[in-house]
Amino acid sequence: MKKHLRTLLVGISALIALGTLSACSGGKTTEATNTSEAVTTPPASAKPFPQSARYMADMKAADGKTMTIGISVDGSSVAAYACNGTDDEAWFFGNQTDGKVDIKSRFRDTLQGEFNGTDVAGDLTMNGVAYKFTAAPVSGAAGMYTADFEGARASWVVRPDGSATGVQFSPATGQKLEQSDLQKLADDQFRAQVRNTRKLQQAQQLTKLQNGSFSSTINGHQVTPTLVTGTFRLS
């Protein structure tokens, strides 16, 4: 009788030990799975910009309107210029962070983009019209250029094939709104009363000189446009 009781107790102890071991083993497997899931994160889409680079794109809105943009990056500084070659333009000045650009122009146009390692892809809003673009890197003579004379300024985006799109701005006469009054205007009011009252026209064509620079005219006066870098700012 004692021998049977001893055998029974040994068997029960073995079963208890086996159950405990299985439970511990199962707990370790679950913990490892949860830890693996917790550290899995999707890769970031934006890549760091090169130290110095230029990009450009031609784009078309849903309504068929066209726009051309040039973007220059130098370190964290960004300068961009967009125009339609006839009667609309906008300058954008700001900084890029971790390959991302988010800038508003002084006339409430917006530029958002990300560098994907090769191109700058993003969204541009001009005068309330939305454009999507993918700006490819350019080099050589391609890029943005600008020149001024007696208050008037002409600016261009030059493509790799040498063709250019540009707009000339001339200072308008008349009463100017105070900054406090401008801030009170809704976007549609601002466009009607401020943005679209600017005096804009097609810029004169660029002529490439033998030394590689460009020449043009503003109101009949000869000018030498300069290449726009990321650190350029309007005075």
Side-chain angles (χ1 to χ4, degrees):
M1 180 68 178
K2 290 182 179 179
K3 182 178 181 181
H4 289 302
L5 180 60
R6 188 181 303 111
T7 301
L8 179 61
L9 290 174
V10 170
I12 292 173
S13 299
L15 288 173
I16 293 173
L18 180 61
T20 303
L21 179 61
S22 298
C24 292
S25 175
K28 288 182 180 178
T29 302
T30 302
E31 183 179 356
T33 301
N34 289 343
T35 302
S36 176
E37 292 176 353
V39 298
T40 302
T41 56
S45 59
K47 306 295 183 183
F49 273 107
Q51 181 62 28
S52 181
R54 304 193 300 273
Y55 308 87
M56 72 140 301
D58 291 300
M59 68 202 91
K60 183 179 291 186
D63 61 1
K65 292 181 179 179
T66 60
M67 196 69 62
T68 300
I69 189 169
I71 302 170
S72 286
V73 179
D74 282 278
S76 62
S77 300
V78 178
Y81 175 73
C83 72
N84 63 0
T86 54
D87 59 0
D88 198 9
E89 68 168 11
W91 282 98
F92 300 88
F93 303 114
N95 296 308
Q96 62 88 11
T97 304
D98 299 327
K100 297 181 180 181
V101 175
D102 189 353
I103 307 174
K104 179 180 287 188
S105 78
R106 63 182 299 185
F107 292 104
R108 300 188 186 179
D109 305 299
T110 60
L111 170 63
Q112 296 176 316
E114 292 187 4
F115 180 63
N116 61 18
T118 303
D119 306 320
V120 180
D123 299 279
L124 172 72
T125 301
M126 295 277 290
N127 198 29
V129 179
Y131 302 84
K132 286 190 174 295
F133 68 88
T134 300
V138 296
S139 59
M144 297 175 290
Y145 291 80
T146 190
D148 64 275
F149 175 71
E150 293 185 346
R153 176 175 294 278
S155 305
W156 301 262
V157 180
V158 178
R159 301 176 182 85
D161 65 3
S163 63
T165 298
V167 166
Q168 177 180 313
F169 162 80
S170 298
T173 57
Q175 184 178 6
K176 294 184 179 180
L177 294 175
E178 296 293 333
Q179 189 64 32
S180 58
D181 295 325
L182 294 176
Q183 294 175 352
K184 297 176 183 177
L185 296 177
D187 286 346
D188 56 343
Q189 294 174 316
F190 182 87
R191 286 195 291 267
Q193 299 180 35
V194 181
R195 187 189 189 283
N196 295 338
T197 61
R198 294 175 298 167
K199 187 177 179 182
L200 301 173
Q201 65 187 66
Q202 183 176 5
Q204 295 296 312
Q205 289 299 308
L206 292 171
T207 300
K208 192 171 185 180
L209 306 178
Q210 290 185 347
N211 62 5
S213 65
F214 287 100
S215 177
S216 188
T217 60
I218 296 178
N219 300 334
H221 180 81
Q222 199 80 18
V223 294
T224 302
T226 56
L227 179 66
V228 174
T229 65
T231 57
F232 172 80
R233 298 293 184 265
L234 291 176
S235 57

